[in-house]
Structures are given as structure tokens and as C-alpha cells.
Amino acid sequence: MTLDFTGRVAIVTGAGNGLGRSYALELASRGAKVLVNDLGGDIFGSGDDAAAAQIVVDEIKSAGGEAIANLGSVSDYENGLEMVRQCMEAWGRVDIVITNAGILRDKAMHNITEQDWDIIMDVHMKGTYAVLHHVWPVFRQQGYGRVVLTSSSSGIWGNFGQANYGAAKSANLGLMNVLKQEGLKYNVTVNSLMPGAGTRLTATVMDEERLEQMKPEFVTPAVVYMCSEENKDSGMMIEAGAGNFNRAVMVKAPGIQHGTDSLPSAEWVEENWGQIISLEGATPMWNGRQTVDEFNASDASLNG
Ligand SMILES: NC(=O)c1ccc[n+]([C@@H]2O[C@H](COP(=O)([O-])OP(=O)(O)OC[C@H]3O[C@@H](n4cnc5c(N)ncnc54)[C@H](O)[C@@H]3O)[C@@H](O)[C@H]2O)c1
């Protein structure tokens, strides 16, 4: 079935280049009205060039679609409100938010300056909060919302030299795990993407052929589906790139239960380490409460 976005309104942050641009164009081609946010900085977060967002807005309009630009920074709290206000004024609703804006300050841990740390947290973490915080009341009132957060292989598995970036991208997964619960009764789904694409962010590490095989258009279909009304799943971590689509998942393994009748020693942990770290029988959890309930259920002394 064709995924149709007629009447839907989407905010795509960092949509002046790379992946965000591709999401914005594809959503608009399927009928969505799109707010194209982009500060227009370089990949390290310096500078601002209004042209980045405006070019994408013009592309959408010349193809017959509807779009407006927002040239502010995602990490500016007031600009988060402004993006929502612009959509409400122009189109009266917001259905979709894709938090995609991103930069890099790759360095080994001992070389990361305080500024390198802060700017990565500002763009990837505060930048995600600033827009979602302001759109959340609209979602609750509408009883509808679709969110795709942008994580990274660095956030879920870790990449050498990306301590700041990996930490910020992991924070997005923590945010998803909470918001998937808070959004549930309002028909708001919150999913995460770990993309792999040839963009200016990755240009230095890819040759021409690889860039073609990894163009953003190989990632975009996963994002478009997760933004659609047809997708009811929430809390998914999806890796997409170069023709690959898969789910990644955090799991809890059954481990071993010592019980609470006596205190376990470090030697007891040493003896049982193999079973503690075994993944046999591991399953995903929906929330933190579930894991605490399982602790209690396994403790005979708490269950009579
Ligand atoms: N390309 C990949 O393989 C890859 C892998 C993992 C994660 N990601 C993530 O995907 C997202 C998109 O990356 P991309 O590869 O398309 O990079 P890109 O540099 O092509 O696009 C990112 C855009 O974000 C904008 N931006 C940066 N800081 C901003 C801010 N403060 N406010 C508003 N806009 C801002 C930039 O101007 C740029 O247009 C990023 O979050 C990135 O971390 C990309």
C-alpha cells in the first residue's frame, strides 16, 4: 500500500544536507508539509548559512510541495518553540518530528576539550529535547505523533575516537525508551535510527563507489515508514544503510539468582560469572519496572 502523507506536517531538523534533506524531499513528495530546519554550519558546528535550508524549501516548492524554513539552531530552546509555532501558524498541526541535525568533534578521550564535549551534547541531546519538549503538548492534544530520533552505531555499539558523540547518541536511546512509554496512550510512537550513509559527515572515509552505494536514499525508506500512520511500533532501534535494514535491541539475560537470605560475596560472583554474562534466554524489556519486577519475582523470600 502506498504510504501517503497528505495533510501531515513534518519537522525535519538538519534538513539542509545529507540524510535530513533526503527525508524532507521524500516526505514532501508524498504529500507532507515540511518545516526544513538547518543552521547551515560546517560538520564541526561552526558557521551559519541560510542557503542550506532555503535551497531544500525551494526544491520542495518547485516540485509542487509545501515547505517553510527555520534557520535557527536545534540547541536553542526558544528555537524549538519557534519551529512548532511556525508549523501551527502555517498549517495548524505537527504530526512528525525527525531529530536529525548533527555534527562531529571526533577526538581521542584525552584530547576532547570542554567545548568539544559541550557542543556535541548541545546539538545531539539538548537539540532533541528542545523541539520534542515543545511539540509534546501538540501531540497529546492531537492524539497523534510520530518521532524518529537519530542515534548512531557509535551510540549503540561504540566507535573509537567518538566518546562525546557516542555518549550523546546513546542518550537518544535513553530518551526513546522513556518517550515510547509517555507517548503510548496518545498514539505517539518514538523510534530510533542508526543510519549509515555517504554524506559530507562521512565523505572523508568513503571512496566514490562506496558513496554511491551508501547514498541517503538507501536510508530514507526506513525513516518514512517509521513516520507513517501505518507504523504502530514504538521503541525500535533500526539500522539502515547500503540496502540493509535490521533491528538492534538491548536485552536482559536471565542471569543467576542468589536470593536475599544471605549476602553474596565477590567470590560467589566470580564462580558464577559465566552464567551472569550468558545471553542464553535473553529478552528485550519494555521498561525499567519490568526488570525490577523480575528481580522481585525471582526472590523467594519476597514471595512467601
Ligand atoms: N552519515 C552517516 O553515516 C551517519 C551515521 C550515524 C549517524 N548519523 C547522524 O545522522 C544525522 C545526519 O547526518 P548527515 O550524515 O546527513 O550529516 P550532514 O552534515 O550532511 O547533515 C547534518 C545537517 O545538520 C545541520 N546542523 C548541524 N548542527 C545544527 C544545529 N545546531 N541546528 C540545526 N541544524 C544543524 C547541518 O547544517 C547539516 O545540514 C546526524 O545526526 C548524524 O550524527 C549519520
Side-chain angles (χ1 to χ4, degrees):
M1 196 175 65
T2 307
L3 299 176
D4 183 20
F5 289 82
T6 306
R8 296 292 183 200
V9 173
I11 293 175
V12 186
T13 70
N17 286 288
L19 288 159
R21 172 179 172 275
S22 175
Y23 308 153
L25 293 177
E26 183 65 20
L27 285 171
S29 76
R30 291 169 177 270
K33 297 158 182 150
V34 184
L35 179 136
V36 177
N37 156 267
D38 208 293
L39 181 63
D42 66 18
I43 65 167
F44 308 112
S46 303
D48 51 15
D49 177 4
Q54 196 54 51
I55 289 169
V56 176
V57 167
D58 292 346
E59 270 182 282
I60 291 173
K61 283 187 173 167
S62 62
E66 277 188 63
I68 49 178
N70 173 283
L71 312 179
S73 172
V74 287
S75 54
D76 175 355
Y77 178 82
E78 294 300 332
N79 192 50
L81 175 60
E82 176 60 12
M83 285 189 250
V84 176
R85 196 200 59 75
Q86 282 178 274
C87 289
M88 294 304 285
E89 189 181 281
W91 302 309
R93 55 188 297 122
V94 186
D95 301 286
I96 296 161
V97 176
I98 305 173
T99 57
N100 163 80
I103 57 167
L104 289 174
R105 290 278 177 106
D106 289 2
K107 285 176 189 170
M109 186 58 173
H110 61 285
N111 288 325
I112 296 175
T113 64
E114 187 180 4
Q115 201 198 10
D116 294 330
W117 183 266
D118 287 347
I119 193 170
I120 289 290
M121 297 301 152
D122 268 2
V123 173
H124 295 278
M125 281 173 57
K126 189 176 173 195
T128 301
Y129 155 75
V131 62
L132 290 181
H133 169 71
H134 287 112
V135 83
W136 211 253
V138 177
F139 283 171
R140 283 167 56 113
Q141 203 167 7
Q142 285 173 179
Y144 187 83
R146 294 287 179 269
V147 177
V148 177
L149 305 172
T150 306
S151 184
S152 161
S153 59
S154 207
I156 187 162
W157 314 121
N159 291 331
F160 188 93
Q162 293 193 316
N164 49 0
Y165 181 79
K169 289 302 198 185
S170 271
N172 273 276
L173 300 176
L175 182 65
M176 174 191 75
N177 283 328
V178 172
L179 295 186
K180 73 181 183 191
Q181 299 172 52
E182 295 188 7
L184 192 61
K185 76 172 179 180
Y186 300 103
N187 190 16
V188 178
T189 64
V190 185
N191 293 292
S192 290
L193 175 79
M194 277 72 72
T199 64
R200 61 185 202 155
L201 217 55
T202 50
T204 51
V205 293
M206 279 185 208
D207 59 33
E208 282 293 313
E209 192 189 348
R210 199 66 190 137
L211 278 175
E212 182 59 22
Q213 293 163 340
M214 294 198 65
K215 55 187 179 188
E217 288 72 17
F218 280 114
V219 173
T220 300
V223 175
V224 168
Y225 174 67
M226 287 193 281
C227 288
S228 71
E229 197 176 342
E230 284 74 2
N231 172 44
K232 312 290 181 208
D233 286 326
S234 201
M236 295 289 150
M237 299 189 285
I238 301 297
E239 293 187 292
N244 168 79
F245 300 91
N246 68 277
R247 179 183 177 187
V249 68
M250 288 187 224
V251 291
K252 177 180 165 167
I256 181 169
Q257 283 65 48
H258 175 278
T260 53
D261 288 343
S262 63
L263 285 173
S265 63
E267 289 75 14
W268 183 88
V269 171
E270 183 193 21
E271 270 164 41
N272 292 288
W273 189 246
Q275 206 174 331
I276 291 170
I277 66 168
S278 167
L279 287 178
E280 209 178 319
T283 49
M285 297 282 114
W286 173 253
N287 59 19
R289 181 61 202 255
Q290 192 183 347
T291 193
V292 174
D293 286 350
E294 287 191 7
F295 282 162
N296 293 343
S298 69
D299 185 347
S301 64
L302 293 174
N303 292 292

